[in-house]
Amino acid sequence: MMSRLMAVAVCCMMLLTACVEDDNSSNSPVPEPQTAEKNYVERWVPVVDPKGEAQGTVMLRFYDDMPSVAYINVSHFQTMMYPGTAIQTQALGEGRYQLTSPCGTAVVNTDKDTFDSDDYEAFTNMMDMVQPGMPNVSLDGLPLVRWKSMEATPQKVHLTLDYGKFGIDIRVDGNDVYFPLATIADLYTDIYMHTADYNGQQVMVAPMGAEELEDGYPKFFIAPILKETRTKDMATFAYNNLCFTLTNFFGYPGRTLLEKKGLKEKGLDKALKDYGQAGEMTRQLLLSTNMYEYIGGTNTLGCLLNDGGHTDTGIGHTSQMDSSTDFYKTMGNTVKAKLEEFYGYCPEYAALRKVDEDIEALSSKLIEARIAKIGRGVTYYKEGNTAYCLFNAFDCDFAAWRKFYKGEGPKPTVENHPNDWLAVLLDALEKAEKDPEVKNFVLDISTNGGGSEDIVMVITSLMCNKAEAYNENSLLGMKQKIYYEVDRNLDGKFDEKDAEVKYDLNFALLVSACSFSCGNMLPALMKDFGIPLIGQKTGGGACCVLYNPSADGYAYRYSSHRSRLMNQKGENVDPGVEPDLKLETPEEFFDFQKITQFIERFYSSK
């Protein structure tokens, strides 16, 4: 059955064959002509990708009342982010303008500074660049995985975003609508991490998303903003924009200190004001024109939004700053001092720090126990009729797999790509299946901190014959069941021959509190699919992660509203998943006899 969003995606494919050529086109007369609300200057600035390669130019506008804040025509933004497409603008009267993108529509009220849409996810959809026709859901571009279909409940949700409430001004000039660049970038940034940011000299876009940004913002882009001070208008706007973004677009996993103080109901600014000295200190730092203090505030905010590892608003962690510079050294000293002061105001954060430290210590102990039992660097091990595969990250060499699928390179294997965890898994499954002694297969993700959902889909497809994910868009309150397809025989085709790839093995997962993010998602799915979990309760991590631009050219990471993972019952999995067999000590994780006996009892009772 085709859902509404799927229908929109199909519509998107048709529209893209007839792209709008005029970025400022309108299909109706303007009933109430308006002129620019403020005086301004316009500048053409270069657009580059994270490698510094030119991607064209774009016109930015700077108003006299906010001379440091870049504004952009919404259609120019659409074309910059998704070349060959544009937004049509239609004046509706009374300050209202209908915006039509290739896949959806929205209405902006420039008098009230609001955004309304019945298909917000479709309106901002850029995933067609990853796989033609797919809606705005998760896919990381691994060529052996593709989106198939989706069920959404409810299928239609009306969304109103009140920018005016946060002091963000949407502007109009004639029939052209202008957003602050950072504000519309926040609206569009997707799970693939198509994003845009401006550093005062150039705009950087990420056509390849997270693959281009996995090491943070490049030095050439960060360098121009490493200044001791910033302007008052930028400090105020950046704070307002941050408050809007985190209030509306945060995924609300459920465990952060600010959530417990009413972040969703109050909004970020009020939640900080009500938090006491720790919150007020953070608020004042975020509003500071002193760059070092501001960066300190992003780090103390990260403490209040600590959700186990997904959210990190602290500038300095997500960019490739030059550690030899005076700026970096002063920044480090300031951040350290501000954090120490913050800890004194926020004793409850000590408990979260203790959890993080305990998980880190557990990971070290598990690694030590593993090395003592099977040796260092071993990813496949057999004990009796049970095979073990160490799977330490949901990651692989995406570029190598793309080359293989294009016929431009060899298939990644443990021989030519020893650090490719997908190759490690496929090699282990092949060895186990060919070994007549092996009946059981244990995937050890006990020290796995996460990675790509694409690889989760590969695993559930191979082991359970299912490739589906359950999540909720926490902004829309929409629950989604998303189906994927996996090219299991790696022949470049998604067809009936993929079903011929089967493994006659009893599968189990070895998990711990260190199993986070995708290391939590996989156990949640496998438990629903009837695969036993062995070890300890997983570490949680329910939301997809967005690498988000800040208004002044930095970046931060946060748990996004676009996908908060659930189990089949519709429950948030951030609290973690309980094992079927609990192990008390790190040494028990390698008690092969105990584990094998449990697996055989589990499957014999089915």
Short mmCIF file of all heavy atoms in Angstrom, two decimals, residues 82-116:
data_model
loop_
_atom_site.label_atom_id
_atom_site.label_comp_id
_atom_site.label_asym_id
_atom_site.label_seq_id
_atom_site.Cartn_x
_atom_site.Cartn_y
_atom_site.Cartn_z
N TYR A 82 20.08 21.42 -4.00
CA TYR A 82 19.68 20.36 -4.92
C TYR A 82 19.72 20.94 -6.32
O TYR A 82 18.70 21.40 -6.85
CB TYR A 82 18.29 19.86 -4.57
CG TYR A 82 17.91 18.54 -5.20
CD1 TYR A 82 16.91 17.75 -4.64
CD2 TYR A 82 18.53 18.05 -6.35
CE1 TYR A 82 16.54 16.53 -5.20
CE2 TYR A 82 18.18 16.84 -6.92
CZ TYR A 82 17.17 16.09 -6.34
OH TYR A 82 16.81 14.89 -6.91
N PRO A 83 20.90 20.98 -6.95
CA PRO A 83 21.04 21.60 -8.26
C PRO A 83 20.01 21.06 -9.26
O PRO A 83 19.73 19.86 -9.31
CB PRO A 83 22.47 21.22 -8.67
CG PRO A 83 23.18 21.05 -7.37
CD PRO A 83 22.18 20.45 -6.44
N GLY A 84 19.46 21.97 -10.04
CA GLY A 84 18.46 21.60 -11.02
C GLY A 84 17.04 21.72 -10.53
O GLY A 84 16.09 21.50 -11.29
N THR A 85 16.85 22.08 -9.26
CA THR A 85 15.51 22.27 -8.72
C THR A 85 15.38 23.68 -8.17
O THR A 85 16.37 24.39 -7.98
CB THR A 85 15.21 21.27 -7.59
OG1 THR A 85 15.97 21.62 -6.41
CG2 THR A 85 15.54 19.85 -7.99
N ALA A 86 14.15 24.11 -7.94
CA ALA A 86 13.91 25.44 -7.40
C ALA A 86 12.58 25.44 -6.67
O ALA A 86 11.85 24.44 -6.67
CB ALA A 86 13.91 26.48 -8.52
N ILE A 87 12.28 26.55 -6.04
CA ILE A 87 11.00 26.75 -5.36
C ILE A 87 10.22 27.81 -6.10
O ILE A 87 10.75 28.87 -6.43
CB ILE A 87 11.21 27.17 -3.89
CG1 ILE A 87 11.70 25.97 -3.06
CG2 ILE A 87 9.94 27.74 -3.28
CD1 ILE A 87 12.01 26.31 -1.62
N GLN A 88 8.97 27.55 -6.35
CA GLN A 88 8.06 28.54 -6.91
C GLN A 88 7.37 29.25 -5.76
O GLN A 88 6.95 28.61 -4.79
CB GLN A 88 7.03 27.89 -7.82
CG GLN A 88 7.63 27.29 -9.09
CD GLN A 88 6.56 26.68 -9.98
OE1 GLN A 88 5.48 26.32 -9.53
NE2 GLN A 88 6.86 26.58 -11.26
N THR A 89 7.23 30.56 -5.88
CA THR A 89 6.60 31.37 -4.83
C THR A 89 5.32 31.99 -5.37
O THR A 89 5.32 32.60 -6.44
CB THR A 89 7.55 32.49 -4.37
OG1 THR A 89 8.78 31.92 -3.97
CG2 THR A 89 6.93 33.26 -3.20
N GLN A 90 4.25 31.84 -4.61
CA GLN A 90 2.96 32.42 -4.98
C GLN A 90 2.43 33.25 -3.83
O GLN A 90 2.25 32.75 -2.72
CB GLN A 90 1.95 31.32 -5.33
CG GLN A 90 0.57 31.85 -5.67
CD GLN A 90 -0.42 30.73 -5.95
OE1 GLN A 90 -0.05 29.55 -5.96
NE2 GLN A 90 -1.67 31.10 -6.18
N ALA A 91 2.20 34.54 -4.06
CA ALA A 91 1.67 35.42 -3.02
C ALA A 91 0.19 35.11 -2.80
O ALA A 91 -0.60 35.06 -3.76
CB ALA A 91 1.86 36.87 -3.42
N LEU A 92 -0.19 34.95 -1.55
CA LEU A 92 -1.58 34.64 -1.20
C LEU A 92 -2.29 35.81 -0.55
O LEU A 92 -3.49 35.74 -0.30
CB LEU A 92 -1.61 33.43 -0.25
CG LEU A 92 -0.95 32.14 -0.74
CD1 LEU A 92 -0.97 31.08 0.35
CD2 LEU A 92 -1.62 31.63 -2.01
N GLY A 93 -1.55 36.86 -0.23
CA GLY A 93 -2.13 38.01 0.43
C GLY A 93 -1.93 37.96 1.94
O GLY A 93 -1.69 36.91 2.53
N GLU A 94 -2.02 39.13 2.58
CA GLU A 94 -1.90 39.25 4.04
C GLU A 94 -0.58 38.68 4.55
O GLU A 94 -0.52 38.07 5.61
CB GLU A 94 -3.08 38.58 4.74
CG GLU A 94 -4.43 39.19 4.38
CD GLU A 94 -5.59 38.51 5.09
OE1 GLU A 94 -5.40 37.37 5.57
OE2 GLU A 94 -6.66 39.11 5.15
N GLY A 95 0.47 38.88 3.78
CA GLY A 95 1.80 38.45 4.20
C GLY A 95 2.07 36.96 4.02
O GLY A 95 3.11 36.47 4.47
N ARG A 96 1.16 36.27 3.34
CA ARG A 96 1.29 34.82 3.19
C ARG A 96 1.80 34.48 1.79
O ARG A 96 1.32 35.03 0.79
CB ARG A 96 -0.04 34.13 3.46
CG ARG A 96 -0.54 34.34 4.89
CD ARG A 96 -2.00 33.92 5.07
NE ARG A 96 -2.17 32.49 4.85
CZ ARG A 96 -2.87 31.97 3.84
NH1 ARG A 96 -3.45 32.77 2.95
NH2 ARG A 96 -2.99 30.66 3.73
N TYR A 97 2.74 33.53 1.74
CA TYR A 97 3.33 33.11 0.48
C TYR A 97 3.39 31.59 0.44
O TYR A 97 3.89 30.96 1.38
CB TYR A 97 4.74 33.69 0.31
CG TYR A 97 4.74 35.19 0.21
CD1 TYR A 97 4.68 35.98 1.36
CD2 TYR A 97 4.74 35.82 -1.03
CE1 TYR A 97 4.64 37.36 1.27
CE2 TYR A 97 4.72 37.20 -1.13
CZ TYR A 97 4.66 37.97 0.03
OH TYR A 97 4.61 39.34 -0.07
N GLN A 98 2.87 31.04 -0.63
CA GLN A 98 2.97 29.58 -0.80
C GLN A 98 4.28 29.25 -1.50
O GLN A 98 4.61 29.82 -2.55
CB GLN A 98 1.81 29.03 -1.61
CG GLN A 98 1.91 27.51 -1.82
CD GLN A 98 0.65 26.91 -2.39
OE1 GLN A 98 -0.41 26.98 -1.78
NE2 GLN A 98 0.77 26.33 -3.58
N LEU A 99 5.02 28.33 -0.91
CA LEU A 99 6.28 27.86 -1.47
C LEU A 99 6.09 26.44 -1.97
O LEU A 99 5.62 25.58 -1.23
CB LEU A 99 7.39 27.89 -0.41
CG LEU A 99 7.59 29.21 0.35
CD1 LEU A 99 8.70 29.04 1.38
CD2 LEU A 99 7.90 30.35 -0.59
N THR A 100 6.43 26.20 -3.23
CA THR A 100 6.27 24.87 -3.82
C THR A 100 7.63 24.35 -4.25
O THR A 100 8.27 24.90 -5.16
CB THR A 100 5.32 24.91 -5.03
OG1 THR A 100 4.05 25.44 -4.62
CG2 THR A 100 5.11 23.50 -5.58
N SER A 101 8.09 23.32 -3.56
CA SER A 101 9.36 22.67 -3.92
C SER A 101 9.03 21.49 -4.82
O SER A 101 7.86 21.20 -5.08
CB SER A 101 10.07 22.21 -2.65
OG SER A 101 9.50 21.02 -2.15
N PRO A 102 10.02 20.79 -5.33
CA PRO A 102 9.72 19.65 -6.21
C PRO A 102 8.85 18.59 -5.58
O PRO A 102 8.16 17.85 -6.30
CB PRO A 102 11.12 19.10 -6.54
CG PRO A 102 12.00 20.28 -6.44
CD PRO A 102 11.46 21.08 -5.30
N CYS A 103 8.85 18.47 -4.25
CA CYS A 103 8.14 17.35 -3.62
C CYS A 103 7.05 17.77 -2.64
O CYS A 103 6.35 16.91 -2.11
CB CYS A 103 9.12 16.45 -2.88
SG CYS A 103 10.25 15.56 -3.97
N GLY A 104 6.90 19.05 -2.34
CA GLY A 104 5.91 19.43 -1.34
C GLY A 104 5.66 20.93 -1.33
O GLY A 104 6.27 21.69 -2.09
N THR A 105 4.76 21.34 -0.46
CA THR A 105 4.40 22.75 -0.37
C THR A 105 4.44 23.22 1.08
O THR A 105 4.34 22.43 2.01
CB THR A 105 2.99 23.01 -0.93
OG1 THR A 105 2.04 22.26 -0.17
CG2 THR A 105 2.90 22.62 -2.40
N ALA A 106 4.56 24.53 1.24
CA ALA A 106 4.50 25.16 2.55
C ALA A 106 3.97 26.57 2.37
O ALA A 106 4.01 27.13 1.26
CB ALA A 106 5.87 25.18 3.21
N VAL A 107 3.45 27.13 3.45
CA VAL A 107 3.00 28.52 3.44
C VAL A 107 3.78 29.28 4.50
O VAL A 107 3.80 28.89 5.67
CB VAL A 107 1.48 28.64 3.69
CG1 VAL A 107 1.08 30.11 3.84
CG2 VAL A 107 0.70 27.98 2.56
N VAL A 108 4.43 30.37 4.08
CA VAL A 108 5.18 31.23 4.99
C VAL A 108 4.41 32.52 5.18
O VAL A 108 3.94 33.12 4.21
CB VAL A 108 6.58 31.51 4.43
CG1 VAL A 108 7.27 32.60 5.24
CG2 VAL A 108 7.43 30.24 4.44
N ASN A 109 4.27 32.93 6.43
CA ASN A 109 3.65 34.22 6.74
C ASN A 109 4.77 35.16 7.19
O ASN A 109 5.33 35.00 8.29
CB ASN A 109 2.60 34.06 7.85
CG ASN A 109 1.79 35.32 8.05
OD1 ASN A 109 2.33 36.42 8.04
ND2 ASN A 109 0.49 35.16 8.24
N THR A 110 5.11 36.12 6.35
CA THR A 110 6.22 37.01 6.66
C THR A 110 5.83 38.11 7.63
O THR A 110 6.72 38.82 8.14
CB THR A 110 6.79 37.64 5.37
OG1 THR A 110 5.74 38.36 4.69
CG2 THR A 110 7.34 36.56 4.46
N ASP A 111 4.53 38.28 7.89
CA ASP A 111 4.09 39.21 8.93
C ASP A 111 4.21 38.58 10.31
O ASP A 111 4.66 39.21 11.27
CB ASP A 111 2.64 39.64 8.69
CG ASP A 111 2.48 40.52 7.46
OD1 ASP A 111 3.51 41.08 7.01
OD2 ASP A 111 1.36 40.63 6.95
N LYS A 112 3.82 37.31 10.40
CA LYS A 112 3.83 36.60 11.68
C LYS A 112 5.08 35.74 11.86
O LYS A 112 5.30 35.18 12.93
CB LYS A 112 2.59 35.73 11.81
CG LYS A 112 1.28 36.53 11.80
CD LYS A 112 0.08 35.61 11.94
CE LYS A 112 -1.22 36.40 11.97
NZ LYS A 112 -2.41 35.50 12.08
N ASP A 113 5.87 35.61 10.79
CA ASP A 113 7.10 34.79 10.83
C ASP A 113 6.80 33.34 11.21
O ASP A 113 7.38 32.77 12.14
CB ASP A 113 8.12 35.39 11.80
CG ASP A 113 8.57 36.78 11.38
OD1 ASP A 113 8.91 36.95 10.19
OD2 ASP A 113 8.58 37.68 12.22
N THR A 114 5.87 32.75 10.45
CA THR A 114 5.51 31.35 10.67
C THR A 114 5.68 30.55 9.39
O THR A 114 5.69 31.09 8.28
CB THR A 114 4.05 31.21 11.15
OG1 THR A 114 3.18 31.81 10.19
CG2 THR A 114 3.86 31.87 12.51
N PHE A 115 5.81 29.25 9.57
CA PHE A 115 5.94 28.29 8.47
C PHE A 115 4.91 27.21 8.70
O PHE A 115 4.86 26.62 9.78
CB PHE A 115 7.36 27.70 8.48
CG PHE A 115 7.59 26.53 7.56
CD1 PHE A 115 8.18 26.72 6.32
CD2 PHE A 115 7.24 25.23 7.93
CE1 PHE A 115 8.41 25.64 5.46
CE2 PHE A 115 7.47 24.15 7.09
CZ PHE A 115 8.06 24.36 5.85
N ASP A 116 4.05 26.95 7.71
CA ASP A 116 3.02 25.91 7.83
C ASP A 116 3.14 24.95 6.66
O ASP A 116 3.36 25.37 5.51
CB ASP A 116 1.63 26.54 7.82
CG ASP A 116 1.26 27.20 9.13
OD1 ASP A 116 1.61 28.39 9.31
OD2 ASP A 116 0.65 26.52 9.96
#
